[in-house]
Amino acid sequence: MIDLNLQKKLDGAQGLLKLDFQLKISSGEIIGIMGKSGEGKSSLLNMMAGLLEPDSGFIRYGMKTWYSSIEKTWVPPQKRHVGMVFQDYALFPNYTVLQNILFAAKNKLDAQELLNKFELVELSNKKPMSLSGGQQQRVAIARALMYQPKLLLLDEALAAVDDQMRLKIQSLILEYHQKYNPIIIMVSHRRSELLQMTNHIYSLENGKIHPLHS
């Protein structure tokens, strides 16, 4: 289970944005988060991943405290075992597709399996700059799954792929979830996608998170 109580002030497009999140996510759940641009969705994921420090509050994963302003606790990103797919993909530009995937875990058999599943075999020796946005996105998702994270954060992770590939990747994510049972948090503007993929959907508005009723 993840228990969040986070506060953060950010300079947004509309001025100062005050984020105040309270959310509990049960083990093995897939949840979706919607909201307008600039509402803090990416900031929420970055705080959970340990890439952005909150101003106050706490993040608890199971029996472990990843962050607490009261207890002065801060667990660095590399010790949280979180997989994250960023909107800008965050691939290593000087690494090939295969090297990017192997960066998550040095297992060539698993890497080859992911290359096959994500239709990346013919691109395995290419560098990210030579790939389309959709291809880079597939590499980023494959790398995140290669890490076998306990918590998988997907920030508009399917936005750049076509409809046919989107359906395939959705199936691959659900297959991964069935096998490893991680918590998955998906940020998406596609309500239909979240209805298909998730257990619960939340809306982020004015710095606060609310359950959405489908």
Side-chain angles (χ1 to χ4, degrees):
M1 186 183 84
I2 293 179
D3 190 3
L4 302 174
N5 187 318
L6 298 174
Q7 293 77 45
K8 181 73 174 177
K9 293 180 181 179
L10 297 173
D11 290 323
Q14 305 300 323
L16 185 64
L17 178 63
K18 296 181 180 180
L19 305 180
D20 188 1
F21 304 116
Q22 288 86 39
L23 184 63
K24 290 185 179 181
I25 307 169
S26 299
S27 298
E29 277 196 325
I30 305 177
I31 74 160
I33 298 178
M34 300 185 69
K36 297 178 182 178
S37 297
E39 288 287 353
K41 301 183 300 297
S42 296
S43 295
L44 171 59
L45 298 190
N46 283 326
M47 284 189 281
M48 295 178 71
L51 302 173
L52 178 66
E53 186 170 356
D55 294 332
S56 60
F58 59 79
I59 305 173
R60 298 192 181 108
Y61 180 92
M63 301 299 293
K64 297 180 180 178
T65 298
W66 284 352
Y67 164 77
S68 172
S69 56
I70 294 176
E71 300 170 10
K72 307 298 182 185
T73 300
W74 174 259
V75 175
Q78 63 271 23
K79 293 188 177 181
R80 297 191 186 194
H81 206 79
V82 173
M84 184 164 177
V85 179
F86 300 85
Q87 288 189 37
D88 62 357
Y89 321 131
L91 299 175
F92 298 110
N94 295 324
Y95 284 16
T96 65
V97 167
L98 177 59
Q99 288 170 334
N100 264 280
I101 293 173
L102 284 172
F103 182 84
K106 307 299 184 185
N107 187 318
K108 289 187 176 181
L109 288 177
D110 285 351
Q112 190 62 47
E113 182 180 356
L114 286 167
L115 287 171
N116 286 323
K117 287 182 174 181
F118 282 86
E119 300 182 16
L120 294 168
V121 173
E122 294 182 359
L123 305 174
S124 61
N125 292 319
K126 292 186 176 293
K127 302 254 179 97
M129 289 299 292
S130 67
L131 305 179
S132 69
Q135 289 168 339
Q136 290 186 55
Q137 202 156 50
R138 281 149 56 195
V139 176
I141 298 170
R143 182 178 64 182
L145 297 186
M146 181 74 174
Y147 189 50
Q148 296 184 4
K150 301 174 183 176
L151 172 62
L152 179 61
L153 306 175
L154 305 174
D155 194 356
E156 298 286 356
L158 305 179
V161 297
D162 59 40
D163 290 341
Q164 183 176 356
M165 181 56 67
R166 180 178 294 108
L167 291 173
K168 179 169 185 176
I169 294 176
Q170 286 174 356
S171 296
L172 291 173
I173 291 171
L174 292 174
E175 176 185 303
Y176 175 84
H177 181 262
Q178 186 173 18
K179 184 175 181 179
Y180 294 104
N181 201 39
I183 291 174
I184 300 178
I185 301 176
M186 298 181 64
V187 166
S188 176
H189 290 291
R190 291 174 174 262
R191 188 186 181 108
S192 59
E193 181 174 86
L194 296 181
L195 286 171
Q196 182 179 356
M197 296 281 292
T198 66
N199 305 113
H200 304 286
I201 303 175
Y202 295 87
S203 173
L204 190 55
E205 186 175 359
N206 296 323
K208 295 186 180 296
I209 197 162
H210 308 280
L212 262 184
H213 301 288
S214 58

